[in-house]
């Protein structure tokens, strides 16, 4: 089955395993931005099909539309525009897709609002974990987070859709503390960041 491909977070993601999760509330079956994600994914799929010079006859079109990425509609639409533009402008016969994605990620992240209301629960969970695991006061954590560059703050919050943010928050809230808490926090993002964009295998 075609897989979702990852975008690298601005800092290294830990490869180490987290401790077992504790019991948590049942996962919601739907999120308010679901229709927007589906619509944005359809635009992404159409762009990939166009790049393949296949249009509606592209063999992966149905699988692409059936995929549900973890990116927010705003982020996915911006990535669609950037990725298409850069791929079409490339003079190479086989453009380096990974490099273009990284370049687009840098371009798009600075334009995403990191202070929208949906970002707050993620910040709250990050800071609650830091208070629990590192004894860093929540107020100090939030103050430090607010001083990060816009793109960094967006990469931790606003680039993800409701379902993606839920998974991140669930891990931050429930995963055991680790000896390396920076790595522990980043590991909570990895499964979600691995599914930001869909490409066929």
């Amino acid at each position: 089955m075609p897989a979702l491909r990852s975008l690298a977070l601005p800092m290294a993601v830990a490869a180490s395993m987290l401790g077992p999760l504790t019991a948590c509330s049942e996962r919601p079956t739907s999120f308010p931005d679901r229709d927007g994600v589906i619509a944005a994914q359809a635009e992404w799929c159409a762009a990939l099909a166009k790049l393949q010079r296949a249009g509606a006859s592209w063999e992966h079109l149905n699988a692409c539309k059936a995929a549900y990425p973890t990116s927010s509609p705003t982020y996915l639409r911006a990535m669609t525009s950037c990725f298409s533009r850069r791929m079409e402008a490339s003079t190479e016969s086989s453009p380096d897709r990974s490099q273009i994605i990284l370049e687009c990620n840098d371009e798009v992240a600075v334009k995403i609002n990191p202070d929208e209301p949906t970002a707050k629960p993620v910040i709250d969970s990050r800071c609650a974990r830091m208070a629990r695991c590192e004894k860093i006061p929540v107020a100090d954590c939030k103050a430090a987070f607010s001083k990060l560059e816009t793109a960094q703050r967006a990469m931790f919050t606003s680039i993800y859709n409701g379902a993606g943010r839920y998974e991140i928050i669930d891990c931050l809230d429930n995963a055991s503390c680790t000896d390396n808490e920076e790595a522990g926090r980043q590991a909570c993002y990895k499964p979600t960041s691995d599914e930001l964009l869909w490409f066929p295998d």
Side-chain angles (χ1 to χ4, degrees), residues 50-132:
K50 182 179 179 182
L51 288 172
Q52 294 297 317
R53 307 291 188 263
S57 64
W58 187 41
E59 62 179 325
H60 300 294
L61 188 60
N62 289 337
C64 182
K65 288 183 176 181
Y68 191 81
T70 55
S71 49
S72 70
T74 300
Y75 178 81
L76 185 52
R77 286 194 170 97
M79 286 295 294
T80 298
S81 175
C82 180
F83 183 75
S84 297
R85 183 180 73 251
R86 288 177 180 264
M87 287 289 286
E88 290 175 346
S90 176
T91 57
E92 300 177 15
S93 57
S94 298
D96 185 341
R97 187 177 75 185
S98 296
Q99 181 60 36
I100 288 177
I101 289 173
L102 289 175
E103 292 170 358
C104 283
N105 194 53
D106 290 341
E107 176 184 316
V108 168
V110 298
K111 300 176 183 178
I112 301 293
N113 179 13
D115 302 315
E116 60 185 34
T118 56
K120 184 178 183 300
V122 185
I123 299 170
D124 288 346
S125 288
R126 281 182 63 87
C127 290
R129 180 185 176 97
M130 292 178 77
R132 171 168 57 93

Side-chain angles (χ1 to χ4, degrees), residues 164-186:
R165 290 192 303 273
Y166 176 89
E167 298 298 340
I168 293 168
I169 290 169
D170 183 59
C171 179
L172 290 170
D173 287 347
N174 295 294
S176 300
C177 297
T178 67
D179 292 335
N180 182 340
E181 264 304 294
E182 182 177 351
R185 289 192 305 276
Q186 291 289 0

Side-chain angles (χ1 to χ4, degrees), residues 122-199:
V122 185
I123 299 170
D124 288 346
S125 288
R126 281 182 63 87
C127 290
R129 180 185 176 97
M130 292 178 77
R132 171 168 57 93
C133 297
E134 300 174 84
K135 311 306 178 189
I136 296 173
V138 169
D140 291 354
C141 169
K142 291 185 175 182
F145 190 85
S146 69
K147 294 177 182 178
L148 294 176
E149 294 181 356
T150 296
Q152 283 184 302
R153 300 202 316 274
M155 287 294 290
F156 286 123
T157 57
S158 307
I159 68 169
Y160 303 104
N161 60 36
R165 290 192 303 273
Y166 176 89
E167 298 298 340
I168 293 168
I169 290 169
D170 183 59
C171 179
L172 290 170
D173 287 347
N174 295 294
S176 300
C177 297
T178 67
D179 292 335
N180 182 340
E181 264 304 294
E182 182 177 351
R185 289 192 305 276
Q186 291 289 0
C188 282
Y189 282 83
K190 189 178 188 308
T192 305
S193 66
D194 281 350
E195 299 184 354
L196 280 167
L197 295 175
W198 183 97
F199 289 101

